[in-house]
Each structure stands twice: as structure tokens, then as C-alpha cells.
């Protein structure tokens, strides 16, 4: 192709684009309308409701008050009394989401690395299997783990029939388990506990971690690490200095995505977390649809959760671009 | 020719199908009623045992609608009202939700009590006087009972036994909702019952007492099914649970037994309320009248396991049947306190639960 041909092609474009523009315009119009109706309007509604006022013994009314936001930080009795209950819940939202997303990514990473070294056909089978496991809802997964950790049908039963419980009692470790809330006087128990909560949350997002990491890992050039190995680097040094730096971006991106996803988990927390470690998501639900019908306070909590998540994402992004610049 | 024949045949066929198929529903539709009740076993029992009797007695067909037993339903009704639809003609409300609905306004309509002659069988307490006149007629009553696993522990004589850590360490299942009765039970056991619930100091004293039971609780449930599973699979060996469901589970052989300790069990009741905007007020009155009949109250006790709102002597329930659904003494929830002091009680309760 000559330069002249190129110019001709370029000249053709505006003539063709004219009729396409209206069609494109219409498409954009529809998409914008959809966005406004399904995203922007509900979103604005939540913000507006968060300024509403609760009426004791009834529902709530539209208003413009900052009381709900004030309550989030210091409680309803302020200034007579201060409570950080809602900040504590927000803290646990982050705590569980951070630990569970890190755990999921850290365990999915070696798995996905090994996966990319398998035969193409075997890889495909694994990926289809993992993709299909995404179709299970949170409720299903929590129910499954609930049964697996139950006294008569799960892990504690296994402990009992294999004599592990008795052994733990004999060596005196059983008391330690009771002290940290992982046993009652009769047997070990795994729920509700932090252990069950984090386990289930990581399990929930683990397939996402594999699927998000897979494209980046499968594009890794094996000759790089082979070269490093032939130059005498140990396997660990290769991972640390060659493999990890080259997948830093997808690794960060995946963790952040899973983290945001987990901030809103409801079923896992309400079933597996102890009452002193409940999160904002659960509190939002109990205010909006629970017995007290306090949608304004629920909305205020939702807005604050959203703002905190955005701040986190922003810092994540900042960290990324800083690392890029180096 | 063939074409025309086929067409006429199809036409006449369609017409006859339409005539036979539509005629019956049309007649029934003129006398029908949409009645809400809590889903699952509860609603199924209504559909199998109560509604057919009502239809046989009055000719009014009942369309059953599943509704939750919580403020959730108020949200749904509010949204439906603003959209101009009525999901049910009659809904079933607990007393607290009913008072809330009457205070919110525009959700439940005033009733014509003179058309509900049988309401006189009920204590006047069960005919709820809202700001717009009578707005609810008692439907049935239910108990939240002390339950325990008879394979693991002796029958507790008092709710206070649950505070004994030697027996119940990390083994109880209690509700995590502030208004679901634990405060009333604790107050009846250690304080002066409803009177203590009426002041902030009283509430805080009760909550302090509840705080002491926390090491014994392994499951703070918010859905009935969680407690059911907990008892079935042995995670929980005692707690608070509905008397009727506990009896049914026990009858199915699960390790659960309800008992009336010396302080008694928590008794709440449901009311039938007419939805604002419903055009079926006459049919609704007939249904409420039917429901207040002692025979219907006994029918519900036998088949659903609820306690009757009329005296046992007015029904043909045997002592054994009555003991299955009811008992004494009964602890009444402090409805006023929950409604007027809602935010304070909820936050204090949540704070207590959130302490480690």
C-alpha cells in the first residue's frame, strides 16, 4: 500500500461516517438514558434519603438533616454519650474484605501459575470448571460451608468420631480452643468465627481471582525466568525479581476488585461473623429492611461506605501509578 | 370448503372452551379475597385447612399471598400504596407492626366492627383501636418459648438457667433483633417486667444483664431457619424459639423440647388488617368474623399450632391439645417502649452485641 492509498482511505472516512453518526448518536442516547434510569437515579435517591428523618415508632419522612451522618460517627446520644459502634462496623467491613481478598489472590496465584503450564486442553477444562462455579450464589456457598462446619454433619463430627476432640481434651489444648471461641464444652465448633467468615469470603471470590489473573499469567514469557535460572538465580529469586514484578499490575488490580466486591458481602457476615464483628453492609440492611424502618440512617451508612471504598480505590490507583513511574 | 369447516370448528371450539373455562372464575371473582400470611408451613396450613372451610361457609374464594412477619411488609405495602396497587386485601400483622402501620397512615383502613359480630368473643384488647377507629382484629396468638435439647441438658426451670456458663457455655441460640423478646424475657426474669422497660435506665439495666449471657450464646440468629438448623445439627442446645414450630420439630423426632419456665414464655399475637384501597371490605369483614369464631380458633390451633385468642372453654380443644399450643404464665412484649424509644433501644442493644 502506498502513501497515496492511505490518504484516499483517510479521505473516505468522513463521507461514510455521516449517516453512522446519527445511528451512533441514538445508541449513545439510549445508553445514557439507561445509565441515568438504572444507575444515576437510584444513586441520587440514596443520597437524598440519607438526609431524611426517622419518626419513632413509624417510618421516616423527607427532610434535610445531617443527624444521620453525625450518628454514624458519634451515635444517637451525642453529646451526652459517644459510641463508635458504626465506625467499628466500617472497620470490620474493611478488615474482612482486605484479608479475604489478599488470601484469595495469594492462593490463586500459585494455582494459576501452575495452570498456565498445563496442556492447552487441560487448561480449558479447568477454566470451564472454575467459570461454572461462579454461577453459585453467595447464599448457596454459605449454606454449603454452614453444613460443612456444623456439629452433627461436618468437621466437628469428624473431630469427634476420629477421637481428635478427645485427644485435644487429653493434651489440654481444648481449653485454649474454648478460650478463643472455637469450642463449647462438648466439642470443637468453627462457626460463628473469624475463621469461618474469612474462609467463606475467600472461597467466594477465589474463582474470580483465578480468572482475573489467568490472562496476565498466561502471557508471561517463560524464556525470561528460564534465562534467570540459567544465570544461576534460585527458583525463589526468579519469582521475586522476575515473575512478580512483571505481573504487579494485574495482581494489584485483582486484589482491589475483589476487595470492593467483598465490602458488600452480607450473607457470609450475617451467618458466620460473631456479633462483635458485624459489618456496615449488615447494619445497612437491618436499618432499611429490618424491624425499625430507618432508611435514612441506612442510606447514610451506604453513602459513607461508598465514599470510603472510593478513597481506597483512589489510593490503590495512586500507588499503582507511582510504581509505574519508577 | 375444508378451510371454512376447520375455521368454524376452531371458532366454535374456542368459544366453547372460553365459555366453559371463563364462566366459573367470573362468578368466583365477584366474591374473592386476597389474604396474606407468613410463608412456608404456616401459609400451607392456612391453604389446606382454614381457607377451604371459609370458602365452604361463605362462598368467597381466598387467594393466598405470602408476606413476611416483619417491618419488611410495611415497606412493600408503602411502595404498593404509592404505586396505587394493593397486594392483599387482608394482611397479617404483629401488634408492633400494626401500630407502626397505623402511625405511618394510608396503609390499613378502618373496619366496620358491627359487621364482625364474632369479634365480641375476643378480649377487647385484641380489637385494635387506631387513630382512625378500629383497624385490626386479632387473628391468632403465638409463643416464643424456652427450648432445649433434652439429650444434652435437664429441663431448665427458669430462664435464669441460661445465664449458667457451666452448662451453656457457647451453646445457646438467641435472636439478635432488639425487639424480638429477649429484653422482655430478661426483664420478667430479673426485673419488674414491662415497668422496667419504660425508662432508659431500666433498658440499660436489662441490657447489662443480657451482656452477661453473651459467653453462652453461640448463635445470634436473625432468621428463624438459622435457629432451626442450629437445633437440628447440634450447634445449639438451648435458646428462644417459636413454641408451635418447636413442637412440630419435636414431633418429627428432632432433639428439641419447648418448656414453660416459671417466668413463662413470650406471647405475641397477630391481627388481620384491611389494606387501604382494598375494595373488598365486606368480604374482609366476613373473613374476620369467620376467624373470630371459636370453632375457627380451634381449627387453627389444631392445624397450625397457634394459640387461640378465645377462652379454652369456648372451644372444643382438649387440655392436651391446648397445652400443645399455649401455656402460662405469659410474658407480654413492652410494645409502647419498643415504639416510642425505638432508636435508643436499638442502638444500646447493638452496642452491647458489638462489644467483644
Amino acid at each position: 500500500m502506498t502513501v497515496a492509498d492511505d490518504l484516499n482511505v483517510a479521505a473516505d472516512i468522513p463521507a461514510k461516517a455521516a449517516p453512522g453518526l446519527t445511528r451512533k448518536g441514538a445508541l449513545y442516547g439510549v445508553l445514557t438514558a439507561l445509565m441515568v434510569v438504572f444507575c444515576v437515579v437510584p444513586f441520587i435517591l440514596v443520597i437524598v434519603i440519607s438526609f431524611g428523618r426517622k419518626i419513632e415508632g413509624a417510618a421516616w419522612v423527607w427532610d434535610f438533616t445531617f443527624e444521620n451522618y453525625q450518628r454514624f460517627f458519634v451515635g444517637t446520644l451525642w453529646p451526652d454519650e459517644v459510641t463508635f459502634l458504626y465506625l467499628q462496623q466500617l472497620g470490620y467491613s474493611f478488615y474482612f474484605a482486605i484479608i479475604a481478598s489478599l488470601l484469595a489472590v495469594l492462593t490463586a496465584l500459585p494455582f494459576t501459575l501452575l495452570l498456565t503450564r498445563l496442556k492447552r486442553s487441560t487448561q480449558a477444562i479447568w477454566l470451564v470448571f472454575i467459570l461454572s462455579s461462579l454461577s453459585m450464589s453467595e447464599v448457596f456457598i454459605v449454606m454449603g460451608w454452614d453444613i460443612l462446619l456444623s456439629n452433627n454433619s461436618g468437621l466437628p463430627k469428624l473431630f469427634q468420631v476420629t477421637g481428635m476432640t478427645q485427644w485435644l481434651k487429653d493434651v489440654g489444648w481444648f481449653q485454649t480452643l474454648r478460650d478463643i471461641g472455637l469450642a463449647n464444652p462438648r466439642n470443637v465448633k468453627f462457626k460463628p468465627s473469624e475463621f469461618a467468615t474469612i474462609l467463606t469470603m475467600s472461597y467466594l471470590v477465589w474463582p474470580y481471582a483465578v480468572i482475573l489473573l489467568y490472562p496476565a499469567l498466561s502471557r508471561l514469557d517463560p524464556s525470561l525466568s528460564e534465562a534467570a535460572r540459567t544465570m544461576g538465580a534460585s527458583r525463589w529469586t526468579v519469582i521475586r525479581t522476575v515473575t512478580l514484578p512483571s505481573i504487579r499490575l494485574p495482581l494489584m488490580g485483582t486484589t482491589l476488585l475483589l476487595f470492593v466486591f467483598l465490602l458488600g458481602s452480607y450473607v457470609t457476615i450475617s451467618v458466620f461473623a460473631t456479633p462483635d464483628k458485624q459489618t456496615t453492609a449488615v447494619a445497612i440492611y437491618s436499618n432499611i429492611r429490618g424491624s425499625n424502618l430507618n432508611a435514612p440512617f441506612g442510606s447514610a451508612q451506604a453513602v459513607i461506605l461508598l465514599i470510603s471504598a472510593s478513597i481506597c480505590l483512589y489510593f490503590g490507583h495512586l500507588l499503582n501509578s507511582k510504581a509505574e513511574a519508577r | 370448503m375444508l378451510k371454512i369447516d376447520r375455521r368454524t370448528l376452531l371458532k366454535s371450539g374456542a368459544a366453547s372452551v372460553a365459555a366453559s373455562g371463563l364462566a366459573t372464575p367470573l362468578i368466583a371473582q365477584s366474591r374473592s379475597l386476597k389474604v396474606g400470611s407468613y410463608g412456608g408451613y404456616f401459609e400451607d396450613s392456612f391453604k389446606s385447612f382454614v381457607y377451604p372451610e371459609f370458602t365452604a361457609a361463605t362462598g368467597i374464594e381466598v387467594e393466598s399471598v405470602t408476606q413476611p412477619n416483619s417491618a419488611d411488609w410495611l415497606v412493600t405495602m408503602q411502595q404498593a400504596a404509592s404505586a396505587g396497587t394493593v397486594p392483599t386485601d387482608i394482611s397479617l400483622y404483629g401488634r408492633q407492626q400494626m401500630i407502626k402501620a397505623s402511625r405511618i397512615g394510608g396503609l390499613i383502613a378502618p373496619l366496620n366492627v358491627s359487621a364482625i359480630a364474632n369479634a365480641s368473643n375476643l378480649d377487647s384488647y385484641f380489637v385494635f383501636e387506631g387513630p382512625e377507629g378500629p383497624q385490626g382484629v386479632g387473628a391468632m396468638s403465638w409463643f416464643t418459648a424456652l427450648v432445649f435439647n433434652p439429650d444434652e441438658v435437664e429441663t431448665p426451670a427458669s430462664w435464669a438457667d441460661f445465664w449458667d456458663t457451666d452448662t451453656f457455655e457457647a451453646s445457646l441460640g438467641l435472636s439478635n433483633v432488639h425487639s424480638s423478646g429477649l429484653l422482655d424475657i430478661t426483664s420478667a426474669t430479673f426485673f419488674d417486667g414491662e415497668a422496667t422497660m419504660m425508662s432508659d435506665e431500666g433498658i440499660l439495666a436489662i441490657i447489662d444483664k443480657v451482656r452477661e449471657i453473651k459467653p453462652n450464646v453461640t448463635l445470634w440468629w436473625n432468621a428463624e431457619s438459622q435457629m432451626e438448623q442450629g437445633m437440628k445439627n447440634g450447634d445449639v442446645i438451648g435458646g428462644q424459639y417459636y413454641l408451635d414450630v418447636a413442637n412440630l420439630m419435636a414431633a418429627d423426632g428432632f432433639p428439641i423440647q419447648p418448656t414453660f419456665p416459671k417466668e413463662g414464655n413470650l406471647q405475641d399475637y397477630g391481627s388481620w388488617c384491611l389494606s387501604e384501597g382494598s375494595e373488598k371490605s365486606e368480604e374482609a369483614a366476613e373473613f374476620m368474623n369467620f376467624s373470630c369464631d371459636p370453632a375457627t380458633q380451634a381449627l387453627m390451633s389444631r392445624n397450625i399450632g397457634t394459640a387461640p385468642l378465645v377462652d379454652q372453654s369456648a372451644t372444643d380443644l382438649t387440655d392436651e391439645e391446648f397445652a400443645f399450643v399455649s401455656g402460662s404464665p405469659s410474658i407480654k412484649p413492652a410494645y409502647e417502649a419498643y415504639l416510642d424509644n425505638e432508636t435508643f433501644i436499638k442502638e444500646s442493644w447493638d452496642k452491647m452485641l458489638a462489644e467483644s
Side-chain angles (χ1 to χ4, degrees), chain A residues 35 45 75 152-153 162 177 200 211 232 240 253 283 298 313:
Chain A
M35 280 284 281
L45 214 53
N152 290 351
S153 50
T162 55
L177 288 177
T200 312
I211 292 197
R240 197 167 47 84
L313 286 182

Side-chain angles (χ1 to χ4, degrees), chain B residues 146 148-150 152-158 161 168 257-261:
Chain B
L146 187 159
F148 63 99
N149 182 334
E152 299 285 351
V153 282
E154 300 279 302
T155 309
S158 159
D161 292 5
F168 289 107
Q257 191 181 318
T259 181
F260 270 77

Side-chain angles (χ1 to χ4, degrees), chain A residues 170-238:
Chain A
D170 291 343
V171 298
W173 291 349
F174 196 73
Q175 188 56 46
T176 319
L177 288 177
R178 273 169 78 170
D179 292 342
I180 57 170
L182 287 179
N184 57 39
R186 298 172 301 286
N187 198 357
V188 290
K189 72 174 183 80
F190 298 104
K191 67 184 172 97
S193 68
E194 230 171 285
F195 161 76
T197 313
I198 291 172
L199 176 77
T200 312
M201 283 172 89
S202 310
Y203 181 90
L204 199 65
V205 292
W206 201 81
Y208 292 98
V210 173
I211 292 197
L212 289 168
L213 288 175
Y214 178 80
L217 291 182
S218 61
R219 276 198 306 269
L220 265 184
D221 190 350
S223 59
L224 282 178
S225 38
E226 278 160 21
R229 290 282 295 190
T230 49
M231 288 160 86
S234 73
R235 192 177 281 267
W236 170 238
T237 316
V238 173

Side-chain angles (χ1 to χ4, degrees), chain A residues 245-250 317-326:
Chain A
S246 55
I247 54 163
R248 195 186 52 234
L249 268 185
H317 174 73
L318 214 66
L319 220 68
N320 251 345
S321 39
K322 259 206 176 140
E324 276 301 273
R326 258 197 295 153

Side-chain angles (χ1 to χ4, degrees), chain B residues 73-136:
Chain B
W73 186 243
L74 292 181
V75 180
T76 310
M77 289 294 280
Q78 251 183 321
Q79 287 162 350
S82 56
T85 59
V86 192
T88 63
D89 296 305
I90 294 180
S91 296
L92 188 56
Y93 287 99
R95 184 174 175 91
Q96 214 178 312
Q97 306 308 342
M98 175 171 65
I99 298 179
K100 263 191 189 177
S102 75
R103 289 190 187 180
I104 291 171
L107 294 181
I108 52 177
L111 299 169
N112 176 13
V113 183
S114 60
I116 312 172
N118 282 333
S120 59
N121 295 325
L122 270 50
D123 189 303
S124 63
Y125 175 76
F126 294 120
V127 179
F128 170 65
E129 282 287 332
E132 298 166 55
Q135 285 185 294

Side-chain angles (χ1 to χ4, degrees), chain A:
Chain A
M1 205 182 247
T2 62
V3 177
D5 283 340
D6 274 351
L7 282 175
N8 272 341
V9 172
D12 281 348
I13 288 170
K16 275 182 192 161
L21 203 66
T22 47
R23 234 181 300 148
K24 231 185 201 170
L27 187 68
Y28 280 136
V30 170
L31 283 178
T32 315
L34 283 177
M35 280 284 281
V36 168
V37 171
F38 292 110
C39 296
V40 182
V41 170
F43 189 68
I44 290 176
L45 214 53
V46 169
I47 294 177
V48 173
I49 291 176
S50 75
F51 294 104
R53 189 162 44 84
K54 156 87 183 152
I55 298 192
E56 291 291 294
W60 59 274
V61 289
W62 303 100
D63 201 342
F64 188 73
T65 164
F66 288 95
E67 268 172 33
N68 300 310
Y69 288 94
Q70 179 188 309
R71 182 179 173 195
F72 187 90
F73 293 100
V74 287
T76 187
L77 290 180
W78 195 79
D80 298 331
E81 214 180 288
V82 177
T83 173
F84 300 121
L85 169 66
Y86 307 106
L87 287 171
Q88 178 189 327
Q89 288 169 342
L90 185 65
Y92 276 113
S93 291
F94 278 76
Y95 174 79
F96 283 128
I98 289 172
I99 295 188
S101 54
L102 279 178
L103 191 67
V105 170
L106 288 181
T107 47
L109 180 64
F111 173 85
T112 318
L113 258 177
L114 291 177
L115 182 67
T116 55
R117 292 182 190 158
L118 295 174
K119 266 196 312 190
R120 274 275 161 202
S121 54
T122 325
Q123 281 188 29
I125 293 172
W126 270 106
L127 284 176
V128 168
F129 173 69
I130 288 167
L131 268 175
S132 61
S133 76
L134 286 180
S135 64
M136 287 206 292
S137 77
E138 187 184 357
V139 180
F140 265 133
I141 290 171
V142 170
M143 263 172 61
W145 279 106
D146 195 41
I147 293 169
L148 284 175
L149 299 175
S150 281
N151 189 52
N152 290 351
S153 50
L155 210 52
K157 188 79 186 171
L158 194 71
F159 268 66
Q160 200 158 36
V161 294
T162 55
M164 280 279 278
T165 305
Q166 196 51 48
W167 178 77
L168 283 168
K169 282 180 180 169
D170 291 343
V171 298
W173 291 349
F174 196 73
Q175 188 56 46
T176 319
L177 288 177
R178 273 169 78 170
D179 292 342
I180 57 170
L182 287 179
N184 57 39
R186 298 172 301 286
N187 198 357
V188 290
K189 72 174 183 80
F190 298 104
K191 67 184 172 97
S193 68
E194 230 171 285
F195 161 76
T197 313
I198 291 172
L199 176 77
T200 312
M201 283 172 89
S202 310
Y203 181 90
L204 199 65
V205 292
W206 201 81
Y208 292 98
V210 173
I211 292 197
L212 289 168
L213 288 175
Y214 178 80
L217 291 182
S218 61
R219 276 198 306 269
L220 265 184
D221 190 350
S223 59
L224 282 178
S225 38
E226 278 160 21
R229 290 282 295 190
T230 49
M231 288 160 86
S234 73
R235 192 177 281 267
W236 170 238
T237 316
V238 173
I239 289 177
R240 197 167 47 84
T241 56
V242 179
T243 315
L244 280 182
S246 55
I247 54 163
R248 195 186 52 234
L249 268 185
L251 218 51
M252 279 281 270
T254 308
T255 315
L256 277 177
L257 196 77
L258 299 187
F259 160 74
V260 171
F261 181 84
L262 285 175
L263 266 184
S265 35
Y266 173 80
V267 190
T268 318
I269 303 281
S270 62
V271 172
F272 287 136
T274 48
D276 57 320
K277 298 197 171 78
Q278 296 287 311
T279 62
T280 303
V282 178
I284 292 171
Y285 185 87
S286 90
N287 273 300
I288 292 182
R289 306 254 8 176
S291 61
N292 63 332
L293 297 181
N294 196 345
F297 186 52
S299 304
Q301 286 175 296
V303 171
I304 292 176
L305 182 64
L306 190 83
I307 293 174
S308 336
S310 316
I311 293 174
C312 269
L313 286 182
Y314 175 73
F315 277 115
H317 174 73
L318 214 66
L319 220 68
N320 251 345
S321 39
K322 259 206 176 140
E324 276 301 273
R326 258 197 295 153

